[in-house]
Amino acid sequence: MKKIRKKYYITTAIAYASGKPHIGNSYEIILADNIARFKRQQGYEVFFQTGTDEHGQKIELKAQEKGISPKEFVDDISVQIKRIWDLMNISYDKFIRTTDKDHENRVQKIFRKLYDQGDIYKSYYKGMYCTPCESFFTESQLLDGKCPDCGKPVELAREEAYFFKMSKYAKRLIKYINDHPKFIQPVLRKNEMMNNFLLAGIQDLCISRTSFSWGISVDFAPRHVIYVWLDALVNYITGIGYDCDGSSNGQFEKLWPADLHLVGKDIIRFHTIYWPIFLMALDLPLPKMVFGHPWLLQGNGKMSKSKGNVLYADDLAEIFGVDAVRYFVLHEMPFENDGVITWNLMVERINSDLVNTLGNLVNRTLSMINKYFGGMICDKGVQDVMDDDLKAIVIATPGRVVEKMESLKVADALREIFNLFKRCNKYIDETMPWILAKDETKKDRLSTVLYHLVDSIVIGASLLEAFMPETTQRILEQFKAEKRDYEQLDHFGLYPSGGKITEKSEILFDRLDLKEVLEKAKAIQKEQRAVEDQEKGSIRLEFKPEITFEEFGRIQFAVGEIVTCKAVPKSEKLLCSQVRIGDQMKQIVSGIKTYYTPEEMVGKKVMVLVNLKPAKLAGVLSEGMLLCAEDVDGNLSLMMPERSMPSGAEIY
């Protein structure tokens, strides 16, 4: 296989810095990394850019809710996103932030250039605005009165704004798309964009806002903040040095146009209509391809923080391992249709493919070489007709993988590699090394069989590197083998005969117990709900079994007045109060010493459960219960009547 030596510039959509990315967001970066690594393996000089989109009204509002500045907010989120990308072994070359000063300066210059050449004009905008999507929509574009992209409510907005003349370039873009059939992929995304937007006629685009301030200001009209999608989209050129004043560096001229913009299908409209038109206005070439990948969906419904069922890459990696997560999301995502992820599916896939097919193959092969030949592996050249089919499949696999990767059918490419591993397992069953080992005259044949297995595994592991880099390294280390060079992947028999493998094999993947995994999942979900409750300042109450009116009628609550109070000796939590309830006095012991002093308690009107059966707490008799509320941090507060009520007033 011949190496290809030329540039390859790949980008992801920069992650919106409004919160921690879930596994569906992380799929895109893993997919891009897989493609970038494979291109490097082929010999391309790859530049892989990703980053964070950090401006907009949504972020400004979230920062206000937290009582911090927008910059403090995005600094924290950007660190979280970068940490997850690094955890997932993402080999990006640049991580851009739209709050980077050089990016902001270049965006301002681009806005001015487009204004000076007459592509931007000032007017007033009145329309339905979706804050989460940072987008305006006409009434006809709404679905059931809500945003057609995210399904959330929109609000009527009217403000002074600058507009970009999208309609000026519409015919030119339509022609370009028709002349370049690979520009928008998959084809169904192209058809959506043409039929739903371009051919129906596109309106000029509102390109600035004055109703919020967190964004890049228009340098000649500071009240205006540049539309977040112009700001975000031009990262693909500012990040590699483009400057419209002519001072662009050599990197931009070398890398542009991008070979691949990898984006989610939900934002493909911005990347295949707005972005190419902006580039046309800047007189720059268009990217070679925009691929709108499908979504990775939660199998039992939409991911929701309030439900505690959001799947995050770092949580999954902690349970399954980084490469297992990479394998699952790359394997389960069809080319065009949405994929599904659940805890059950992950356990099933990992046990089936990674444990049984790959892990078992490597472990069996290593064990047999150590058992039968003391770790020495030699090609004795004793061939059999059954070797031919193995060799044919192994040699053909690299070409099949390349073919699938060229069309971005990544899941299919991964299946080709695992078909190689499955064929190796079948070869073991066919040759039955354990039977050969019993016959001294078959020793050279046994050695040849094991050599064929090692060479096949090394080729498969080398192909696997772009998908599961850590696993490839662990496999090759155990066979003491070098990664097979791309030009040698379709050559069989290059493993050095006479080499010695590791003496003790390492289990690549542990078999998972579904019950144990689901218990870990419950713990993660519980923690998610607790964090969500804390952020919202609310409590998730788990209701006890229902009771009848008759049962409720047996419970009696009343207002009590605390007359005296003292600490219970030798107790860190208990206070003992004398509580007047009408014409009666009751002694009540409560575990609230951490939150109230005895002096604070005296004189308070409190709510009391008065007919609770007496019991001793720390040796002290308690004849009722003071009602308290507990917040998300576990702090207690006495429940007291809102208005002045007499002691003994019954509570219904």
Side-chain angles (χ1 to χ4, degrees):
M1 297 176 68
K2 187 177 179 181
K3 271 196 174 183
I4 304 166
R5 302 190 182 279
K6 59 181 180 179
K7 72 91 180 174
Y8 190 85
Y9 178 32
I10 179 174
T11 74
T12 67
I14 49 179
Y16 196 49
S18 60
K20 181 179 177 181
H22 57 65
I23 189 61
N25 306 133
S26 302
Y27 163 70
E28 181 177 304
I29 195 76
I30 295 171
L31 175 62
D33 180 69
N34 170 232
I35 296 168
R37 285 177 180 272
F38 194 79
K39 288 295 181 182
R40 292 191 191 103
Q41 194 173 13
Q42 288 182 289
Y44 285 88
E45 187 177 347
V46 173
F47 192 86
F48 173 15
Q49 179 168 299
T50 188
T52 43
D53 175 8
E54 302 182 13
H55 292 128
Q57 185 178 24
K58 184 178 180 179
I59 287 174
E60 185 174 84
L61 293 173
K62 281 183 170 286
Q64 288 174 2
E65 290 173 3
K66 286 186 171 290
I68 58 177
S69 70
K71 186 61 167 63
E72 290 174 314
F73 181 86
V74 296
D75 282 348
D76 175 62
I77 299 297
S78 184
V79 167
Q80 289 187 48
I81 293 171
K82 192 171 185 294
R83 177 186 63 81
I84 293 175
W85 286 185
D86 292 340
L87 170 69
M88 297 310 297
N89 210 351
I90 306 303
S91 61
Y92 55 83
D93 296 289
K94 176 157 186 175
F95 189 96
I96 188 173
R97 298 179 58 184
T98 56
T99 52
D100 292 340
K101 289 303 176 186
D102 57 348
H103 171 79
E104 292 186 336
N105 292 337
R106 289 166 180 170
V107 170
Q108 287 181 321
K109 290 180 184 178
I110 288 171
F111 192 97
R112 177 179 282 276
K113 173 181 173 64
L114 297 175
Y115 177 79
D116 288 344
Q117 69 188 35
D119 284 320
I120 293 176
Y121 61 93
K122 186 192 290 187
S123 185
Y124 284 88
Y125 191 90
K126 181 179 180 182
M128 308 310 295
Y129 186 72
C130 174
T131 298
C133 294
E134 307 276 4
S135 299
F136 279 103
F137 297 96
T138 63
E139 291 280 359
S140 61
Q141 290 174 320
L142 301 179
L143 294 177
D144 297 325
K146 295 181 179 179
C147 173
D149 288 342
C150 71
K152 294 184 178 179
V154 294
E155 58 184 2
L156 183 65
R158 184 185 187 278
E159 58 185 273
E160 181 184 82
Y162 285 94
F163 287 77
F164 183 89
K165 295 179 180 178
M166 300 292 289
S167 54
K168 174 181 174 181
Y169 296 92
K171 289 183 179 179
R172 181 176 164 186
L173 178 58
I174 291 170
K175 183 178 186 305
Y176 184 89
I177 292 173
N178 286 330
D179 292 344
H180 297 80
K182 291 187 177 180
F183 175 57
I184 305 175
Q185 291 293 315
V187 174
L188 64 87
R189 310 273 183 255
K190 168 190 169 182
N191 294 337
E192 289 171 2
M193 295 304 103
M194 290 289 280
N195 297 330
N196 297 347
F197 296 99
L198 283 168
L199 297 179
I202 56 174
Q203 299 178 335
D204 290 350
L205 178 67
C206 177
I207 206 169
S208 76
R209 300 291 308 280
T210 58
S211 56
F212 62 93
S213 60
W214 179 239
I216 303 172
S217 63
V218 177
D219 59 359
F220 56 86
R223 282 197 317 115
H224 289 258
V225 168
I226 296 173
Y227 176 60
V228 70
W229 275 106
L230 173 62
D231 166 14
L233 288 166
V234 299
N235 93 87
Y236 303 130
I237 53 177
T238 64
I240 55 173
Y242 174 77
D243 199 317
C244 64
D245 65 5
S247 61
S248 302
N249 60 25
Q251 186 185 43
F252 172 73
E253 283 72 23
K254 178 182 177 181
L255 294 176
W256 194 257
D259 293 271
L260 177 62
H261 286 322
L262 194 64
V263 302
K265 64 178 182 178
D266 53 324
I267 56 172
I268 196 165
R269 172 166 58 97
F270 303 99
H271 286 81
T272 58
I273 297 178
Y274 298 175
W275 177 225
I277 285 180
F278 291 153
L279 289 170
M280 287 175 175
L282 292 170
D283 197 26
L284 293 175
L286 271 55
K288 296 177 183 178
M289 182 186 295
V290 180
F291 184 84
H293 64 76
W295 289 339
L296 186 62
L297 302 176
Q298 176 80 301
N300 55 354
K302 188 176 180 181
M303 294 187 196
S304 165
K305 286 185 179 180
S306 61
K307 293 179 181 177
N309 69 346
V310 182
L311 300 179
Y312 294 108
D314 52 351
D315 290 333
L316 294 173
E318 185 175 344
I319 295 176
F320 302 112
V322 169
D323 270 11
V325 176
R326 287 175 63 106
Y327 175 80
F328 182 87
V329 298
L330 292 172
H331 183 276
E332 296 300 311
M333 288 294 287
F335 179 68
E336 295 180 339
N337 302 318
D338 295 333
V340 175
I341 182 170
T342 67
W343 295 100
N344 297 54
L345 279 174
M346 287 202 71
V347 170
E348 179 182 339
R349 181 62 62 202
I350 290 169
N351 282 343
S352 172
D353 296 357
L354 301 187
V355 177
N356 290 351
T357 299
L358 178 56
N360 192 38
L361 168 65
V362 171
N363 190 58
R364 290 168 76 191
T365 303
L366 290 164
S367 297
M368 288 189 292
I369 295 170
N370 278 314
K371 180 178 179 180
Y372 301 137
F373 296 100
M376 191 74 69
I377 181 67
C378 297
D379 181 8
K380 296 295 185 178
V382 182
Q383 305 293 321
D384 192 287
V385 66
M386 65 182 64
D387 301 342
D388 296 337
D389 186 61
L390 172 71
K391 292 179 181 179
I393 287 176
V394 171
I395 291 172
T397 297
R400 292 185 180 128
V401 171
V402 170
E403 180 186 357
K404 299 295 190 298
M405 290 297 292
E406 288 299 318
S407 58
L408 300 184
K409 294 183 178 179
V410 171
D412 293 342
L414 191 51
R415 289 187 187 96
E416 292 289 352
I417 298 172
F418 271 75
N419 285 341
L420 182 156
F421 295 137
K422 289 176 181 177
R423 184 62 187 86
C424 289
N425 280 316
K426 183 181 178 183
Y427 181 70
I428 293 175
D429 295 336
E430 291 170 341
T431 57
M432 295 183 287
W434 53 91
I435 300 296
L436 294 174
K438 294 177 181 179
D439 187 343
E440 187 64 25
T441 65
K442 304 287 187 181
K443 191 171 183 180
D444 285 351
R445 172 59 184 160
L446 173 60
S447 182
T448 302
V449 165
L450 295 177
Y451 177 86
H452 288 165
L453 282 171
V454 172
D455 205 56
S456 301
I457 292 170
V458 169
I459 291 173
S462 299
L463 283 168
L464 191 63
E465 185 192 34
F467 304 82
M468 303 170 69
E470 290 180 358
T471 301
T472 289
Q473 183 178 354
R474 291 169 65 196
I475 293 172
L476 295 179
E477 284 176 353
Q478 293 190 79
F479 287 106
K480 294 186 178 178
E482 297 293 328
K483 184 184 72 173
R484 197 65 55 88
D485 187 80
Y486 180 78
E487 294 172 321
Q488 300 174 325
L489 283 171
D490 54 358
H491 290 65
F492 198 89
L494 297 181
Y495 184 86
S497 180
K500 190 169 174 52
I501 65 167
T502 185
E503 293 180 3
K504 189 175 181 181
S505 62
E506 172 194 357
I507 301 298
L508 293 178
F509 300 95
D510 293 319
R511 183 169 298 280
L512 299 168
D513 181 273
L514 179 59
K515 185 177 179 181
E516 291 180 4
V517 169
L518 293 178
E519 285 300 317
K520 292 177 181 178
K522 285 181 182 178
I524 289 171
Q525 291 165 356
K526 183 177 180 181
E527 185 177 348
Q528 277 186 26
R529 290 193 293 267
V531 171
E532 179 74 1
D533 291 342
Q534 191 165 19
E535 289 179 352
K536 291 183 175 180
S538 61
I539 292 289
R540 187 182 308 274
L541 181 62
E542 294 185 7
F543 294 120
K544 295 180 179 179
E546 294 176 348
I547 62 174
T548 65
F549 279 106
E550 290 76 12
E551 290 171 319
F552 177 74
R554 295 173 56 198
I555 305 172
Q556 188 175 23
F557 301 97
V559 175
E561 181 179 1
I562 299 175
V563 179
T564 64
C565 182
K566 61 182 180 180
V568 174
K570 298 182 181 180
S571 173
E572 296 180 356
K573 297 181 178 180
L574 299 179
L575 294 178
C576 180
S577 303
Q578 301 299 319
V579 185
R580 180 184 293 113
I581 305 169
D583 59 357
Q584 299 183 50
M585 190 73 72
K586 282 184 175 285
Q587 177 172 283
I588 299 177
V589 178
S590 307
I592 55 176
K593 186 177 177 181
T594 305
Y595 309 99
Y596 294 94
T597 65
E599 294 76 17
E600 288 177 308
M601 296 288 287
V602 175
K604 288 188 182 295
K605 293 280 186 73
V606 293
M607 301 169 74
V608 184
L609 174 57
V610 297
N611 64 334
L612 184 65
K613 186 176 181 178
K616 283 191 175 182
L617 301 177
V620 180
L621 183 69
S622 181
E623 303 173 296
M625 179 183 290
L626 304 185
L627 299 188
C628 293
E630 183 180 16
D631 67 15
V632 292
D633 296 318
N635 299 312
L636 298 181
S637 175
L638 285 165
M639 301 301 293
M640 294 178 281
E642 180 186 6
R643 298 175 183 174
S644 179
M645 299 295 289
S647 169
E650 195 160 4
I651 298 171
Y652 298 95

